[in-house]
Amino acid sequence: HVAARASDVWKVYGSGEAQVIALRGVTADFERGRFTAIMGPSGSGKSTLMHCLAGLDAVTRGQVFIGGTQVTGLGDAGLTKLRRDKVGFIFQQFNLLPTLTAQENILLPLSIAGRKADQAWFDTVIETVGLRDRLGHRPSQLSGGQQQRVACARALVARPEVIFADEPTGNLDSRSGAEVLGFLKRSVREYGQTIVMVTHDPVAASYADRVVFLADGQIVSELLDPTPEAVL
Ligand code: ADP
Ligand code: ADP
């Protein structure tokens, strides 16, 4: 079963002399319950691909699917609903709301969607990320690693079709980064979550089941069950 699919996706920014072709016919399947890392040099199109897959950015040509939904062709209302109901995001900068507690941040996407958290699932997520005694804290009272664990819990609690993670360990020390990556991997192994992660870090990529390498807007190679040495 495919959780996300890019089919011959092209993305062109600007026009004339300022034109940039960020994606040149990218085709890739992201199977449900798999953890994929996207790697490649700066400017190779990693963020653009992720934004196109997640419905944050419109493709110039080609098709994107999330679950059974064709993202390309959705209007604004459809895209808003897709992002709300089908995808979760984890960012390098955590992107938590500073005035809300950890628990309120974690539950915010669900309450915006008018959904209630399943209590047993919420408890499982909180235990998994080790935040039980931090639920009443605001982001400023948490370390970077704890804040990113809140962001992971926020993404996971809604059980989205796909979680997109953009350099999730970019602002963390290696120990906190390893904790976050271990949690993401567990959510794939134990709960069947699908994750697509952009990273520069070979160690981070080695937590994935598969690495897709981009160069100049194209997929140039893939690696299954990567080790850090193989990714370098
Ligand atoms: P990466 O994430 O691999 O660093 P990006 O997807 O950010 O690559 O960028 C791919 C190419 O598209 C780069 O040449 C970048 O400058 C260009 N690009 C990205 N976003 C925009 C934009 N909004 N407007 C114009 N060019 C862009
Ligand atoms: P990264 O390498 O992590 O993708 P970038 O600096 O390439 O970071 O891009 C950061 C943001 O700026 C992205 O949202 C991207 O779409 C946008 N961007 C990148 N290049 C350009 C550009 N040439 N013009 C306008 N926006 C850009």
Side-chain angles (χ1 to χ4, degrees):
H1 189 106
V2 174
R5 164 173 288 166
S7 178
D8 193 27
V9 168
W10 290 71
K11 178 66 183 181
V12 181
Y13 290 109
S15 59
E17 298 231 326
Q19 192 180 73
V20 175
I21 306 179
L23 296 176
R24 303 168 184 267
V26 171
T27 295
D29 279 350
F30 301 89
E31 276 172 44
R32 188 173 277 178
R34 302 270 284 166
F35 186 176
T36 305
I38 301 175
M39 297 193 81
S42 192
S44 58
K46 302 183 296 295
S47 299
T48 300
L49 176 58
M50 180 140 92
H51 291 169
C52 287
L53 283 168
L56 294 170
D57 215 347
V59 309
T60 305
R61 206 177 94 194
Q63 275 138 31
V64 170
F65 298 85
I66 296 285
T69 306
Q70 184 172 348
V71 177
T72 36
L74 288 177
D76 284 346
L79 284 172
T80 301
K81 196 165 145 44
L82 176 102
R83 288 193 296 260
R84 198 184 66 195
D85 298 339
K86 299 257 171 113
V87 300
F89 295 97
I90 299 170
F91 303 95
Q92 186 171 352
Q93 309 289 348
F94 321 136
N95 289 30
L96 303 176
L97 289 180
T99 58
L100 300 185
T101 65
Q103 171 154 337
E104 289 164 345
N105 269 288
I106 291 166
L107 293 175
L108 188 65
L110 282 178
S111 53
I112 287 174
R115 291 162 59 194
K116 284 212 92 141
D118 176 87
Q119 187 63 45
W121 176 239
F122 177 82
D123 289 341
T124 300
V125 170
I126 296 308
E127 293 308 329
T128 307
V129 298
L131 286 169
R132 178 60 67 196
D133 58 349
R134 294 284 184 279
L135 287 176
H137 290 54
R138 290 181 210 289
S140 62
Q141 301 171 300
L142 299 171
S143 69
Q146 289 167 341
Q147 289 185 61
Q148 195 63 308
R149 285 191 272 145
V150 172
C152 289
R154 177 180 59 184
L156 199 65
V157 82
R159 305 197 116 153
E161 185 77 32
V162 189
I163 291 177
F164 293 100
D166 196 349
E167 298 280 5
T169 57
N171 274 323
L172 303 180
D173 61 57
S174 58
R175 185 162 161 266
S176 304
E179 281 171 6
V180 163
L181 289 161
F183 167 60
L184 293 178
K185 194 173 175 103
R186 241 181 106 185
S187 74
V188 172
R189 285 282 165 284
E190 294 177 25
Y191 314 128
Q193 181 61 53
T194 307
I195 298 181
V196 178
M197 170 177 75
V198 165
T199 185
H200 283 101
D201 177 5
V203 173
S206 72
Y207 282 76
D209 303 309
R210 174 172 75 136
V211 184
V212 171
F213 295 92
L214 281 182
D216 199 20
Q218 291 183 305
I219 293 178
V220 289
S221 61
E222 285 194 27
L223 197 57
L224 292 178
D225 301 317
T227 61
E229 296 72 30
V231 173
L232 269 170

